[in-house]
Amino acid sequence: MTNHSPTARRIAKTILNGFDAYFADYQNITLGAKARFETASWQAVHQANKERIDLYKTKVMQVLKLVHAVTSKDTTDLAIWREARATFAQLIANHSNYEIAETFFNSVFCNQYKHAHIHDSNIFVKPSRPPDEKPLRDYSIYISYSGRDGLEYMIEDILNDYGFSVPWEDLQRDVDNICRALREGPLTGLENEKQLRVDMLESVFYRNKAAYLVGRMMFGGQVIPLLLPCLNNGRGGVFVDTVLYSNDSASIIFSFTRSYFMVDAPIPSRFVRFLSTIMPLKERSELYNSIGFHKHGKTEFYRHILAHMKVSNDKFIIAPGIKGMVMSVFTLPSYPVVFKVIKDKFDRPKTVTEEIVREKYKFVSRSDRVGRMADTQEYTNFIFYRNRFSEELLAELQEVAPSKLVMDDKWIIIKHLYVERRMEPLNLYLQHASDEETREAMEEYGNAIKQLAAANIFPGDMLLKNFGVTRHGRVVFYDYDELCPLTDCHFRKIPEARTAEQELSDQPWYTVDEADVFPEEFRLFFSGNPVARKAFEDQHSDLYDYRYWQRLQERIRAGHIESAFPYRRKWRFKRRSHRKPKG
């Protein structure tokens, strides 16, 4: 081991000890998910999610304070941090979670230097060693099951091996439902079920009001997802709600539009590798995000886009669609994300401030996104090659956000931006959609509004341009500057006009407070698109009624948490009421 200064060693050890303490606290919050599910403590679920997200920043700042305390040397000296980085790399050489420890080191450094001096000699821009490629069968993160005794016995064994403290509502019914669905679906062509092998991750994936059993089926060279969403019936029993087995359905369960799972993953990299086998199109960054390690997901994304820049030559351009009043949005055509920069001055009639916009995005990161809001990663001092920016984009950024730019002949540094998955804006999608596609999109649009509202989120500005369509056809909200808790709104009916002058006036003849919302006005969002308007009104005309919103507010204030299913309701198994025989 190379000898480094005592100061560098103390700093490196302090950061590693801090990381290990953070990870232990993170795991303890996560391990409580099982009890919260079994006792149907849904309010506690949301509180634990927020607590776990906030934990990272708290621990990083505690460790930075300790770093200053363990040495009398000048901790602003970059040379000390370069040595500390080298020492840290040696300390984590055999650490099972070295890659997440690297991200923690990066976070401490970035808070020390306000995200300046981003270079691989100072932090881990690149990983300290290649990823572990040992066969996963060497590790005990999953259990393998054989179909040699028949599908029913295998499924029953799988369900019994998950040790919920509450009983199955009707185990035999669930086994029958699963077997029937599999035989009618992915196992249709399997002549001999004894050839089937199933690997199930030992840890349960908890999110919102559901517990997911996650695995894969293998036969004939195929690898097929097997996901079993389990719900608590609220009466001391658990049941399997459906079975999901397509790559697309698995991808939607692990979508960037959903809250992070609570899953006991002592070595997250191994879980990510397993999940990659059933969702090969998902990037590692997305999978780390989905299991709760979103800070390392940022690191993985940054590394991935740097690698992509080396093998591509297209230029960043202004993102297609109607330009926003608050954000300048750009994209790289060959890469599936958008970059959003807050403008220095907002276009009229926007009255929000930059601080408010940042708070809105923070609110989203800590909210239950119910599959209807895009996950957003926030970056400071993001570095780009200047020659990869189109002249049109560069001119726009210099015009609307000059305070966010640092430029020279080679580099452009954007001081603050958000990164989101790229989607086709709903208004553009409708321009080329068939009548059937329009109807489906309007069903999705209304469902998105309703599901967000049930999660106590009101989009504020519900214009079609603020919603996007994913590759799975789901409609997702992505413009957060007008968003607020639903319970902060005052839903009203437009008062009747008392005179002809009032009726013909283009100005309201009644008082309107800042929190007032008039659902009757939602019809205006469809001006110019009568097909979309009719499709929406056929399916969601209840959204025009102020009483719909008031009833929802009452439920939320009473502590009710709605169920949000990341799969079609028609896929849910039918449940007969479970009654014990008399006698």
Side-chain angles (χ1 to χ4, degrees):
M1 180 182 281
T2 304
N3 289 324
H4 295 115
S5 71
T7 296
R9 289 199 296 274
R10 280 199 299 275
I11 290 175
K13 288 178 180 178
T14 299
I15 295 175
L16 183 55
N17 288 340
F19 167 72
D20 288 336
Y22 154 73
F23 197 88
D25 287 349
Y26 177 98
Q27 285 291 87
N28 286 335
I29 295 172
T30 301
L31 288 169
K34 180 176 184 289
R36 291 188 286 271
F37 171 74
E38 292 167 346
T39 57
S41 303
W42 309 133
Q43 293 287 355
V45 167
H46 288 283
Q47 188 55 42
N49 282 333
K50 293 176 182 177
E51 183 183 344
R52 199 177 69 167
I53 288 171
D54 292 341
L55 176 68
Y56 190 87
K57 181 74 171 179
T58 301
K59 287 293 185 182
V60 165
M61 299 312 294
Q62 286 177 358
V63 169
L64 182 56
K65 190 174 181 180
L66 288 172
V67 164
H68 296 155
V70 297
T71 178
S72 58
K73 301 287 186 182
D74 181 9
T75 52
T76 64
D77 183 358
L78 267 177
I80 291 177
W81 283 91
R82 290 192 190 102
E83 272 199 273
R85 181 220 183 274
T87 305
F88 195 83
Q90 293 174 343
L91 291 175
I92 62 173
N94 296 311
H95 199 294
S96 56
N97 288 322
Y98 75 93
E99 76 281 31
I100 300 178
E102 290 170 353
T103 290
F104 193 85
F105 181 96
N106 293 352
S107 297
V108 175
F109 178 92
C110 286
N111 277 276
Q112 167 71 33
Y113 286 101
K114 309 301 181 191
H115 294 268
H117 309 296
I118 305 298
H119 190 276
D120 198 51
S121 60
N122 301 326
I123 63 170
F124 297 92
V125 174
K126 301 172 186 173
S128 59
R129 57 188 169 95
D132 182 6
E133 298 295 347
K134 293 176 184 174
L136 272 174
R137 63 176 176 269
D138 292 347
Y139 309 125
S140 58
I141 68 166
Y142 64 81
I143 300 174
S144 291
Y145 299 85
S146 167
R148 63 180 177 270
D149 295 324
L151 187 62
E152 279 80 6
Y153 281 104
M154 182 171 66
I155 296 299
E156 186 172 347
D157 282 348
I158 288 172
L159 296 183
N160 280 327
D161 279 348
Y162 286 97
F164 292 120
S165 301
V166 290
W168 292 101
E169 180 184 80
D170 188 333
L171 181 63
Q172 190 57 54
R173 178 201 65 202
D174 289 350
V175 170
D176 292 343
N177 282 337
I178 294 166
C179 291
R180 183 174 60 255
L182 291 179
R183 286 177 176 138
E184 292 173 357
L187 304 186
T188 303
L190 183 61
E191 295 180 4
N192 184 358
E193 290 179 355
K194 293 182 178 180
Q195 298 173 351
L196 178 65
R197 186 184 113 198
V198 171
D199 297 333
M200 298 297 295
L201 287 168
E202 282 194 82
S203 299
V204 179
F205 288 65
Y206 295 96
R207 185 174 63 204
N208 300 334
K209 297 167 80 170
Y212 295 83
L213 315 182
V214 178
R216 62 193 179 193
M217 299 178 283
M218 286 174 286
F219 61 90
Q222 297 184 76
V223 178
I224 299 172
L226 177 60
L227 281 72
L228 301 172
C230 302
L231 302 181
N232 187 319
N233 65 13
R235 302 183 303 278
V238 174
F239 63 93
V240 179
D241 197 41
T242 188
V243 57
L244 304 170
Y245 45 74
S246 71
N247 292 116
D248 280 354
S249 59
S251 184
I252 290 170
I253 297 294
F254 285 82
S255 171
F256 64 94
T257 64
R258 300 199 175 274
S259 305
Y260 309 133
F261 280 109
M262 292 259 177
V263 54
D264 177 20
I267 305 179
S269 61
R270 293 179 187 167
F271 280 72
V272 166
R273 286 174 60 200
F274 184 97
L275 294 171
S276 293
T277 66
I278 61 173
M279 293 174 283
L281 297 180
K282 278 212 179 291
E283 298 294 343
R284 286 166 57 88
S285 59
E286 283 188 74
L287 293 173
Y288 273 108
N289 289 343
S290 71
I291 62 173
F293 295 94
H294 58 288
K295 290 296 183 182
H296 186 65
K298 282 179 66 174
T299 301
E300 290 284 346
F301 168 79
Y302 191 72
R303 289 170 178 169
H304 191 270
I305 195 169
L306 289 180
H308 178 80
M309 294 292 288
K310 292 179 179 178
V311 298
S312 62
N313 56 20
D314 54 334
K315 294 195 173 189
F316 290 93
I317 60 171
I318 297 171
I322 300 171
K323 291 185 179 181
M325 298 178 181
V326 170
M327 296 280 196
S328 178
V329 185
F330 64 94
T331 189
L332 187 67
S334 62
Y335 203 77
V337 302
V338 293
F339 300 83
K340 304 171 74 168
V341 183
I342 302 175
K343 295 179 177 180
D344 288 352
K345 293 181 180 179
F346 301 155
D347 301 342
R348 288 186 170 184
K350 292 290 185 181
T351 58
V352 293
T353 64
E354 179 169 337
E355 184 179 4
I356 290 173
V357 173
R358 290 195 187 207
E359 282 300 314
K360 302 284 188 185
Y361 276 77
K362 183 178 179 182
F363 173 78
V364 169
S365 72
R366 300 166 81 249
S367 298
D368 178 4
R369 295 191 297 279
V370 293
R372 296 300 183 178
M373 290 194 293
D375 192 14
T376 302
Q377 297 283 17
E378 185 177 10
Y379 287 87
T380 303
N381 292 335
F382 203 107
I383 303 171
F384 299 89
Y385 286 106
R386 179 169 179 158
N387 64 3
R388 296 296 293 272
F389 274 54
S390 70
E391 291 302 320
E392 182 186 19
L393 171 58
L394 191 52
E396 172 169 309
L397 290 174
Q398 288 174 311
E399 178 185 352
V400 303
S403 73
K404 307 292 192 305
L405 303 182
V406 177
M407 295 191 300
D408 60 23
D409 292 340
K410 186 176 181 182
W411 306 106
I412 293 177
I413 299 175
I414 298 183
K415 295 180 183 179
H416 180 262
L417 58 72
Y418 296 100
V419 178
E420 282 178 7
R421 172 63 72 86
R422 186 172 66 220
M423 292 171 275
E424 184 174 10
L426 180 55
N427 61 309
L428 297 186
Y429 176 86
L430 292 174
Q431 289 177 8
H432 60 76
S434 66
D435 286 356
E436 181 59 29
E437 289 170 335
T438 296
R439 181 174 179 81
E440 290 177 359
M442 287 301 95
E443 180 186 9
E444 274 287 293
Y445 171 64
N447 287 340
I449 293 169
K450 288 177 175 177
Q451 288 168 7
L452 286 171
N456 198 22
I457 294 169
F458 183 64
D461 193 342
M462 295 194 294
L463 293 170
L464 300 179
K465 72 181 182 68
N466 295 333
F467 291 77
V469 183
T470 72
R471 65 187 177 92
H472 300 294
R474 290 180 62 81
V475 171
V476 174
F477 181 56
Y478 56 58
D479 193 316
Y480 305 143
D481 55 87
E482 296 284 347
L483 164 153
C484 67
L486 187 83
T487 46
D488 287 356
C489 299
H490 181 209
F491 291 96
R492 294 175 56 192
K493 178 177 174 58
I494 296 176
E496 295 290 337
R498 294 181 178 178
T499 66
E501 288 79 9
Q502 287 182 347
E503 193 165 349
L504 295 173
S505 173
D506 59 356
Q507 297 295 322
W509 58 89
Y510 44 88
T511 58
V512 180
D513 293 330
E514 188 175 346
D516 285 348
V517 178
F518 300 93
E520 295 159 85
E521 295 178 340
F522 296 168
R523 292 180 174 87
L524 299 175
F525 298 140
F526 303 104
S527 57
N529 195 329
V531 176
R533 176 170 171 170
K534 184 177 187 311
F536 181 82
E537 292 179 352
D538 285 347
Q539 302 171 91
H540 298 295
S541 59
D542 49 351
L543 291 176
Y544 294 153
D545 188 343
Y546 70 99
R547 290 166 296 191
Y548 170 90
W549 299 90
Q550 290 178 349
R551 286 192 294 269
L552 197 51
Q553 287 178 315
E554 290 171 7
R555 287 168 64 83
I556 293 168
R557 290 182 180 124
H560 180 78
I561 293 178
E562 295 283 347
S563 298
F565 299 99
Y567 42 85
R568 299 268 181 168
R569 288 179 180 267
K570 66 182 180 182
W571 295 351
R572 300 183 67 195
F573 293 145
K574 290 182 170 59
R575 289 164 59 219
R576 297 182 304 277
S577 59
H578 183 65
R579 294 189 179 93
K580 292 182 179 179
K582 294 180 180 179

